[in-house]
Amino acid sequence: MNGQVKDVPCGIQCLKHICNNCCVHHQINWKPWYQAGILVTTFLAYTCYHLTRKPISVVKNVLSQNCSGILPPSDVPINDSIHWCDWAPFDTEDAPALLGLLDSSFLFAYAAAMFLSGIIAERVNLRYFLSLGMIASGISCYLFGIARPYGIHNLWYFVLVQAIGGVFQTTGWPGVVTVVGNWFGKKKRGFIFGVWNSHTSLGNILGSVIAANYVESDWGLSFMVPGAIMGLVGFFIFLFLVPNPTDVGCSPPNSHVYRKIEASNSSDDDAYVDVGDGPHTTGEDDPNDNSRSESSPMLSGHRRIYGAPQDSAIGFVGAMKIPGVIEYSLSLFFAKLVSYTFLYWLPLYIAASTTYGTSLSAYLSILFDVGGIVGAIVAGVLSDYTGMSAFTCVIMFGLTFPALFIYDYVRNASLGVNVILLLIAGLLVNGPYALITTAVSAELGTHPSLGENSKALATVTAIIDGTGSIGAAVGPLLAGLVSRWAGWHNVFYMLMGSDLLALLLLSRLVYRELRLYVQRRRIL
């Protein structure tokens, strides 16, 4: 423990006071407890962010459905038997496009605000940033739900509420990734982030379960309950989140130094390996060091150390110049296009293309997120083991293409086949998406070209996730239009094409990773 204590959350102060009084004769090493608490609090926080995003995909099935199989009340005209049970203004033939507009209003607002959110996050206290963002996001989700008891049917009300929710949701990702990056070093970062990133899928699962529980009785509660939960967790974050080790007198993760590798026949300007802290001889490497290093080709090229002032916030243009940021950003554009199309349309797609009901379709869509949890962990472990993040992503992108093709054509074989294919699709779609938005973003945000600049993580995360979020906005919008005019088969062709483009955009980084891997093997 060192450094000056500042702005300690009142919940932490109370806990320390209680522990110090109960353990008078024992000296407590607080840093491991803080680190565990950071993982728990940020995990809960981002679980809630996705908890409030998921209900719209479940409720779509009752906002617009085929009412011909439901016996209408006596006061409903016979010629209106198809749409009598729909919720206006989604009671028309253009309902898929209108529902797609709701998705896009949220996602385009999210994508546009994300770039600014990352810049703000570098300059403010992340405890206030996250807690206020969560409370405001919970309120916007709650406002969508009150349309049911208050009989609100104005399309622009729903669009505005979705857009406001999208803006406040941008506080989540730059905030939680930066906090975790502040507390943890590079070793086993892929595995830590892989396990931690399961909050995304867990939030989707809980959101689906809560929404499915109320969707057929009172769909307004499908939004109001998650909104209330998020507001309460936001207050919990305000009480207990410690965004930086120095706030409580702990030392930050060990800084690293980089030693240049002289490799023959290399066209890269420079190549560095992470050799840890302290003095090192120039003639030896530790062959047993399997920790993730900045020698990964995604970080190769132009690795000159600049003397940026310590703790100064990097600008947008400076973050864009970090090697690998542009490639991963564009790849994530297409990866999130695929992932968010599933997020917002999978329950409706299952209900429309099978004989399963609304609730069963919602519960089946959970399997996609279960597979996503496994995929995030697998991608993180493979990235740690190989030291090649781009190569890991490309392998999973390559396997996603046939998986989507098979699912589209054999989903109706049986319920068991549907379950297995959804798990596989979730694993392959969400694995590289999770890796890019967590471990890769964290490494690029601490790239050696930044020198002592420690405030790039939120900006880099926002650039990568913001670019991906534009794809996340485009995907559901196109899915609504394509499914309406060309059918669901063509939606899957669109997703497979996007997956192929995500793969190709990383090809240059994969080439560098493989070449540098061979060079390092020769040196060792």
Side-chain angles (χ1 to χ4, degrees):
M1 300 277 289
N2 55 30
Q4 182 179 2
V5 177
K6 55 182 180 179
D7 196 19
V8 180
C10 55
I12 295 296
Q13 294 183 45
C14 292
L15 286 178
K16 291 191 70 173
H17 179 73
I18 294 172
C19 291
N20 289 334
N21 288 337
C22 295
C23 306
V24 179
H25 303 293
H26 298 279
Q27 185 175 5
I28 301 175
N29 181 8
W30 284 102
K31 187 171 183 178
W33 290 100
Y34 282 131
Q35 289 179 317
I38 288 299
L39 289 178
V40 171
T41 53
T42 54
F43 186 93
L44 286 175
Y46 210 70
T47 296
C48 289
Y49 276 96
H50 269 260
L51 176 73
T52 53
R53 294 183 197 180
K54 187 64 177 178
I56 184 65
S57 67
V58 176
V59 174
K60 283 177 182 177
N61 282 321
V62 296
L63 294 179
S64 177
Q65 58 184 315
N66 187 355
C67 306
S68 58
I70 305 174
L71 184 65
S74 57
D75 59 341
V76 175
I78 297 177
N79 60 357
D80 193 32
S81 60
I82 297 178
H83 298 292
W84 71 266
C85 64
D86 294 341
W87 187 266
F90 309 107
D91 54 348
T92 66
E93 294 296 330
D94 293 328
L98 297 179
L99 293 171
L101 177 63
L102 293 187
D103 297 337
S104 297
S105 62
F106 174 92
L107 292 167
F108 276 115
Y110 181 91
M114 176 60 76
F115 297 100
L116 180 62
S117 182
I119 295 173
I120 295 173
E122 301 284 15
R123 294 160 171 81
V124 300
N125 188 307
L126 291 175
R127 179 163 65 95
Y128 303 125
F129 185 73
L130 280 169
S131 58
L132 291 176
M134 290 186 68
I135 292 171
S137 296
I139 291 173
S140 66
C141 184
Y142 195 91
L143 289 175
F144 196 107
I146 65 173
R148 172 71 164 77
Y150 285 95
I152 299 174
H153 297 279
N154 189 298
L155 175 64
W156 297 110
Y157 172 82
F158 294 105
V159 171
L160 180 62
V161 168
Q162 284 286 87
I164 293 173
V167 171
F168 285 113
Q169 284 266 336
T170 61
T171 59
W173 197 240
V176 295
V177 172
T178 303
V179 170
V180 174
N182 288 342
W183 278 94
F184 293 90
K186 298 183 188 332
K187 189 173 183 180
K188 300 300 180 184
R189 177 176 275 173
F191 174 74
I192 292 172
F193 271 122
V195 175
W196 175 78
N197 192 65
S198 61
H199 52 44
T200 298
S201 296
L202 181 61
N204 292 338
I205 292 170
L206 294 177
S208 296
V209 170
I210 294 173
N213 190 51
Y214 297 109
V215 66
E216 294 182 349
S217 58
D218 184 354
W219 62 261
L221 292 175
S222 297
F223 292 93
M224 289 188 281
V225 172
I229 293 173
M230 187 169 190
L232 291 174
V233 175
F235 183 66
F236 175 82
I237 293 297
F238 175 77
L239 293 178
F240 291 100
L241 182 67
V242 181
N244 200 297
T246 57
D247 292 344
V248 288
C250 292
S251 59
N254 293 332
S255 59
H256 288 242
V257 295
Y258 299 87
R259 178 167 55 80
K260 184 175 179 180
I261 294 178
E262 298 293 344
S264 59
N265 301 322
S266 173
S267 60
D268 289 342
D269 292 337
D270 297 291
Y272 289 80
V273 291
D274 181 1
V275 293
D277 298 313
H280 292 265
T281 61
T282 59
E284 292 182 330
D285 285 307
D286 181 3
N288 297 320
D289 183 10
N290 293 324
S291 64
R292 178 100 178 173
S293 75
E294 295 295 348
S295 61
S296 171
M298 72 176 183
L299 305 176
S300 65
H302 309 288
R303 288 187 173 86
R304 297 180 178 86
I305 307 299
Y306 299 100
Q310 188 171 6
D311 291 335
S312 61
I314 193 171
F316 182 85
V317 176
M320 289 287 289
K321 292 179 180 179
I322 297 174
V325 168
I326 294 177
E327 289 93 337
Y328 278 109
S329 297
L330 295 176
S331 180
L332 188 64
F333 175 95
F334 293 102
K336 288 192 75 168
L337 186 152
V338 177
S339 180
Y340 270 66
T341 300
F342 275 99
L343 174 67
Y344 282 95
W345 286 97
L346 184 57
L348 183 60
Y349 167 72
I350 295 173
S353 59
T354 65
T355 59
Y356 307 139
T358 300
S359 296
L360 180 57
S361 298
Y363 287 125
L364 275 177
S365 69
I366 292 173
L367 297 170
F368 182 83
D369 294 301
V370 173
I373 294 175
V374 179
I377 296 173
V378 169
V381 170
L382 290 176
S383 176
D384 280 336
Y385 180 76
T386 63
M388 297 187 290
S389 297
F391 182 74
T392 300
C393 291
V394 163
I395 292 297
M396 299 187 81
F397 282 140
L399 295 174
T400 301
F401 192 95
L404 294 180
F405 182 85
I406 294 171
Y407 177 71
D408 183 37
Y409 278 90
V410 303
R411 65 187 180 279
N412 286 322
S414 68
L415 180 61
V417 170
N418 210 315
V419 167
I420 294 172
L421 291 177
L422 279 172
L423 289 170
I424 294 174
L427 186 152
L428 296 174
V429 168
N430 287 333
Y433 156 45
L435 182 63
I436 293 173
T437 55
T438 53
V440 169
S441 296
E443 289 197 11
L444 292 174
T446 54
H447 188 265
S449 67
L450 298 171
E452 295 300 319
N453 189 329
S454 64
K455 288 192 175 182
L457 188 50
T459 302
V460 169
T461 301
I463 290 173
I464 294 177
D465 195 54
T467 305
S469 296
I470 298 174
V474 171
L477 177 62
L478 291 178
L481 297 174
V482 173
S483 64
R484 170 72 174 87
W485 301 107
W488 285 105
H489 281 303
N490 288 295
V491 172
F492 271 81
Y493 292 142
M494 176 190 77
L495 298 181
M496 287 184 278
S498 300
D499 180 74
L500 181 61
L501 289 172
L503 184 155
L504 293 175
L505 285 164
L506 295 180
S507 57
R508 185 173 69 91
L509 297 181
V510 171
Y511 172 73
R512 287 187 174 185
E513 282 185 347
L514 293 175
R515 186 176 61 181
L516 190 56
Y517 175 79
V518 173
Q519 293 171 355
R520 286 153 58 189
R521 294 289 294 178
R522 289 174 180 171
I523 292 173
L524 296 176

